[in-house]
Amino acid sequence: MKIWKKKLLSVHETIFKVIYKKIYDELIVTVRRDNLLRFGNENDGGYIVDVSVEYDNLVSFGIADDISFELDFINYYPNSNLFCYDPSIDNLPGALENSKFFKIGIAKKTTKNYQTLSDILLTQNIDPAKKNFIKMDVEGFEWEVIEHNLEELILFDNFVLEIHFYELPPKLIFLFPLTLYKRLKLLRKLKKHFDIYNVHFNNGPRIINFSNFLFPECVEVSFLNKRHPKL
């Protein structure tokens, strides 16, 4: 490898590590909650939930072939309503009480196959004054959702999210730190309104060894709206 390429890679890795360290510092638990349960599979698809709140509605984005989280949720909260969204499947992969399924996804603007969170809340008549829970597993599109639907997200009491940080683009590799820095800023915006009460690596995807440090492909984060009193 030419010397200038080695130097450029070294600079790139240094910038990457600095931004990742800042992300690491943001992904810490900021509030203690005692009543926690894991809903969903032991592997990909499971999240830690604060069950000290009685939830009226679950809005779930990203289903695929796994409704283990939704099943555990409705078993614990049998009087809740479930609204399930996924544009990649035609029907739910199994029976789910008190649920409605929509073959659409969430995005920054409403189109034929996608809706904004604002339009979803409006069309389903979900009362923001009630206790509402949101689960989001949308394979990297969460950043677009956070950026363009933040005003609606902060209406929710609880929010579990699969966050993708490491999605290396096939081209323009040296622009990736800029993408990562934008995601850092969006995470900080989200944390202005939510406390973090649990963080764990998603144990389905890989843990990537980027030169001399590890970087998880994605993490599972549980957020609680700051309007809830701290214990």
Side-chain angles (χ1 to χ4, degrees):
M1 183 182 294
K2 294 181 179 180
I3 295 177
W4 70 268
K5 285 188 176 181
K6 287 184 178 180
K7 289 183 177 179
L8 194 56
L9 281 171
S10 178
V11 171
H12 174 264
E13 180 176 334
T14 299
I15 296 172
F16 188 93
K17 284 170 29 177
V18 168
I19 299 172
Y20 176 71
K21 178 59 168 61
K22 292 182 181 294
I23 290 173
Y24 178 86
D25 291 340
E26 293 292 336
L27 289 173
I28 60 173
V29 171
T30 57
V31 65
R32 178 177 64 85
R33 307 298 289 183
D34 291 333
N35 299 315
L36 302 180
L37 289 178
R38 182 181 175 93
F39 289 174
N41 287 330
E42 293 183 0
N43 296 313
D44 188 19
Y47 301 86
I48 302 299
V49 175
D50 173 17
V51 295
S52 64
V53 180
E54 289 289 334
Y55 300 105
D56 299 297
N57 300 296
L58 166 65
V59 185
S60 183
F61 296 103
I63 304 296
D65 60 352
D66 183 5
I67 56 170
S68 60
F69 177 87
E70 290 75 15
L71 281 170
D72 285 347
F73 191 98
I74 198 62
N75 285 335
Y76 197 88
Y77 297 108
N79 296 319
S80 293
N81 300 302
L82 275 60
F83 303 88
C84 302
Y85 292 81
D86 195 318
S88 69
I89 58 176
D90 294 323
N91 296 288
L92 292 175
L96 195 57
E97 293 291 331
N98 297 348
S99 69
K100 295 180 180 179
F101 171 73
F102 304 92
K103 187 180 171 58
I104 61 175
I106 184 171
K108 64 181 179 181
K109 63 179 181 180
T110 294
T111 60
K112 179 181 179 181
N113 297 317
Y114 293 87
Q115 285 187 341
T116 63
L117 185 54
S118 176
D119 284 344
I120 287 170
L121 296 177
L122 183 64
T123 56
Q124 300 308 318
N125 196 28
I126 297 174
D127 186 354
K130 290 190 174 182
K131 299 298 183 184
N132 299 314
F133 193 106
I134 187 168
K135 184 212 85 172
M136 193 177 302
D137 181 359
V138 291
E139 304 304 328
F141 288 99
E142 65 273 5
W143 298 111
E144 178 181 300
V145 173
I146 293 170
E147 182 176 8
H148 297 281
N149 296 268
L150 185 59
E151 290 186 6
E152 289 71 37
L153 281 174
I154 63 178
L155 298 175
F156 283 79
D157 294 271
N158 209 312
F159 181 24
V160 292
L161 174 65
E162 181 180 280
I163 305 182
H164 296 75
F165 288 107
Y166 193 96
E167 289 181 304
L168 203 59
K171 297 180 180 179
L172 300 175
I173 183 174
F174 295 108
L175 292 180
F176 183 63
L178 299 178
T179 300
L180 196 62
Y181 182 65
K182 181 178 180 181
R183 292 175 180 181
L184 169 63
K185 292 197 295 182
L186 289 171
L187 177 60
R188 286 172 171 168
K189 282 187 177 181
L190 196 62
K191 285 185 62 184
K192 288 182 179 179
H193 305 279
F194 290 92
D195 279 308
I196 293 176
Y197 63 88
N198 185 78
V199 181
H200 64 267
F201 288 174
N202 183 309
N203 53 9
R206 299 172 298 162
I207 302 297
I208 297 170
N209 190 341
F210 189 88
S211 295
N212 62 343
F213 70 98
L214 298 177
F215 197 110
E217 277 195 332
C218 60
V219 294
E220 316 283 9
V221 185
S222 302
F223 296 93
L224 186 71
N225 200 297
K226 286 188 174 182
R227 62 175 171 260
H228 286 279
K230 291 181 173 59
L231 298 180

